[in-house]
Amino acid sequence: MENDTQTNIMDAAQSLILDNGFSGTTVDAIIKRAGVSKGAFFHYFSSKADLAHALVMRYAEADAQHLENNMEKAEALSDDPLQQMLIFVKLFEQEMNALSEPYPGCLFASYLYQSELFDEQILEIIHRWMLRWRGRVKDKLEEVADTYPPDREVDLSSLADMLLVTFEGAFVLSQSVEEPETIARQLSHYHSYLQLLFNP
Amino acid sequence: MENDTQTNIMDAAQSLILDNGFSGTTVDAIIKRAGVSKGAFFHYFSSKADLAHALVMRYAEADAQHLENNMEKAEALSDDPLQQMLIFVKLFEQEMNALSEPYPGCLFASYLYQSELFDEQILEIIHRWMLRWRGRVKDKLEEVADTYPPDREVDLSSLADMLLVTFEGAFVLSQSVEEPETIARQLSHYHSYLQLLFNP
């Protein structure tokens, strides 16, 4: 279980890593941002590498919960698999539209752009996270394709990946173009593509 | 003009930065990878920041040339704007399919995930690069939409961005899933979406 100090340290570290990279983020900068002592830091984390691991675990768990929550909400709102899938995407689109500040980026993408700095265990967690998204979305797309066979051949595995690709690519663009609507608009194109593909 | 030594240093640095991030890449690691002396490094670059600037300039120029070449090829192969746009995407898809090794990632995305490390001038070059893609692709999509008015309302600006979003997102996924076909498959979905949207 995390307590407040531990959460403060992790929040500060994550925010600094997304702006400066992992190597560019020192323990001194983290404790300054979190407003804690070096002693407090090392009480909770044996090293910066230990913190990197805790951050990736926390991010993966929160993300898995988020994915599951939105899928459950979508499944509760319709019995039709296509509508469920479209609502699922729309829920993310609404969340991204409601952001008052630019999205800070994806911790996993940040790690992957510095992948030599991390051990196999961390890279394996990120790999499993991608496969979880693929699996959960692909299962739903298979139900959709069974109910509404598309006119053209569709690779459901890469179509499932396309949701994560949309998030990750839009995060990168939104770091530079500074248009808060970037992510929602890209999700809306994914939504539109699904409608056209499985046009009932 | 770059000479061989300078090119070696820049190639080594770019490859190291994509794996370790900018902070995680030391001058010592760069000269070791490039097989040059520290004196040679500082003959060409006054600092690591100077090198970061040279890399971003080179990357932007090569990318602009690449974009222009593929658009010109596409325009030479058809008079129809929709076919030109579809060929343009297909050319990138073919290039990505022909890769014998996983794509190493995008230097600009790497910089953006460590944006606090770079000065405004570098971030401005990256910003202009995004706007160049948006502008060039959007111009073509406007011709397409004039010739084949879509059945549904389409925001052409974000539809243009979607090509870069597809590249950037697929680069992130391909760092972890280790499936060389990831990028080409995602481009093929973008191609398919355009066909469905502007279905003549």
Side-chain angles (χ1 to χ4, degrees):
Chain A
M1 286 296 286
E2 291 167 25
N3 65 30
D4 284 355
T5 305
Q6 199 176 3
T7 301
N8 280 349
I9 294 169
M10 291 174 78
D11 290 349
Q14 181 165 317
S15 160
L16 286 164
I17 289 170
L18 286 171
D19 285 343
N20 300 276
F22 185 70
S23 273
T25 301
T26 61
V27 171
D28 283 342
I30 296 167
I31 63 173
K32 192 177 166 198
R33 170 82 63 103
V36 303
S37 67
K38 199 167 263 192
F41 181 95
F42 287 107
H43 175 73
Y44 292 108
F45 305 103
S46 62
S47 63
K48 221 177 81 173
D50 184 34
L51 170 66
H53 192 267
L55 283 174
V56 92
M57 289 295 294
R58 181 176 75 158
Y59 200 86
E61 277 164 28
D63 184 85
Q65 196 62 55
H66 191 178
L67 165 63
E68 222 33 68
N69 283 350
N70 279 359
M71 191 58 95
E72 280 171 18
K73 273 188 207 167
E75 288 173 340
L77 288 168
S78 174
D79 289 331
D80 179 87
L82 177 56
Q83 291 310 316
Q84 290 172 346
M85 184 64 205
L86 293 172
I87 292 167
F88 176 67
V89 175
K90 189 63 78 179
L91 289 169
F92 286 108
E93 197 184 320
Q94 288 172 349
E95 289 169 21
M96 290 295 147
N97 246 330
L99 290 179
S100 54
E101 292 181 30
Y103 193 81
C106 170
L107 186 69
F108 291 159
S110 161
Y111 277 39
L112 288 171
Y113 265 110
Q114 304 155 78
S115 59
E116 291 291 321
L117 307 180
F118 302 102
D119 59 33
E120 273 307 311
Q121 206 187 348
I122 283 182
L123 298 177
E124 182 58 30
I125 292 167
I126 297 177
H127 191 202
R128 281 207 305 270
W129 157 77
M130 285 191 182
L131 297 182
R132 186 194 301 117
W133 273 84
R134 176 186 291 175
R136 193 71 172 96
V137 177
K138 191 182 172 194
D139 285 350
K140 185 56 66 187
L141 290 173
E142 279 172 354
E143 292 176 45
V144 176
D146 284 346
T147 316
Y148 304 104
D151 290 338
R152 54 176 64 207
E153 211 180 313
V154 184
D155 176 54
L156 296 181
S157 189
S158 57
L159 183 61
D161 281 350
M162 194 179 176
L163 178 54
L164 211 48
V165 163
T166 301
F167 274 116
E168 292 296 344
F171 291 161
V172 171
L173 258 71
S174 70
Q175 300 298 308
S176 181
V177 295
E178 286 170 18
E179 294 160 350
E181 67 276 18
T182 299
I183 303 165
R185 286 211 180 146
Q186 292 302 321
L187 287 170
S188 138
H189 282 297
Y190 183 65
H191 186 274
S192 177
Y193 180 43
L194 293 175
Q195 283 182 319
L196 290 165
L197 270 179
F198 300 106
N199 187 17
Chain B
M1 288 295 287
E2 290 168 25
N3 66 29
D4 285 354
T5 304
Q6 200 176 2
T7 302
N8 279 351
I9 294 169
M10 290 174 78
D11 291 348
Q14 181 165 317
S15 160
L16 286 164
I17 288 170
L18 286 171
D19 285 342
N20 300 276
F22 184 70
S23 274
T25 300
T26 60
V27 171
D28 283 341
I30 296 168
I31 62 173
K32 192 177 167 198
R33 171 81 64 103
V36 303
S37 67
K38 198 167 266 193
F41 181 95
F42 286 107
H43 176 72
Y44 292 108
F45 305 101
S46 62
S47 62
K48 220 177 80 173
D50 184 34
L51 170 66
H53 191 266
L55 283 174
V56 92
M57 289 295 293
R58 181 176 77 158
Y59 200 87
E61 278 164 28
D63 185 84
Q65 196 61 55
H66 191 179
L67 165 63
E68 222 33 69
N69 282 350
N70 279 358
M71 190 59 94
E72 281 170 19
K73 274 189 207 168
E75 287 173 342
L77 287 168
S78 174
D79 290 329
D80 178 86
L82 177 56
Q83 291 310 315
Q84 290 171 346
M85 184 63 206
L86 292 173
I87 292 167
F88 175 68
V89 176
K90 189 63 77 179
L91 289 169
F92 286 108
E93 196 183 320
Q94 287 173 349
E95 289 169 21
M96 290 296 147
N97 247 330
L99 290 179
S100 54
E101 291 181 31
Y103 192 81
C106 170
L107 186 69
F108 292 160
S110 161
Y111 278 39
L112 288 172
Y113 266 110
Q114 303 156 77
S115 59
E116 291 290 321
L117 307 180
F118 301 103
D119 59 32
E120 274 307 311
Q121 205 186 348
I122 284 183
L123 299 177
E124 183 57 32
I125 292 167
I126 298 177
H127 190 202
R128 282 206 305 270
W129 156 78
M130 284 190 183
L131 297 183
R132 186 194 300 118
W133 273 83
R134 176 187 290 176
R136 193 70 172 97
V137 176
K138 191 183 172 193
D139 286 349
K140 185 56 66 188
L141 290 173
E142 279 172 354
E143 293 176 44
V144 176
D146 284 345
T147 316
Y148 304 104
D151 290 337
R152 54 175 65 207
E153 210 182 315
V154 184
D155 175 54
L156 296 181
S157 189
S158 58
L159 183 62
D161 282 349
M162 195 180 176
L163 178 54
L164 210 49
V165 163
T166 302
F167 275 116
E168 292 297 343
F171 291 161
V172 171
L173 257 71
S174 70
Q175 300 297 309
S176 181
V177 296
E178 286 170 20
E179 293 160 350
E181 68 276 17
T182 299
I183 303 165
R185 287 212 180 144
Q186 292 302 320
L187 288 169
S188 137
H189 282 297
Y190 183 64
H191 186 273
S192 177
Y193 180 42
L194 293 175
Q195 284 182 318
L196 290 165
L197 269 179
F198 300 106
N199 187 18

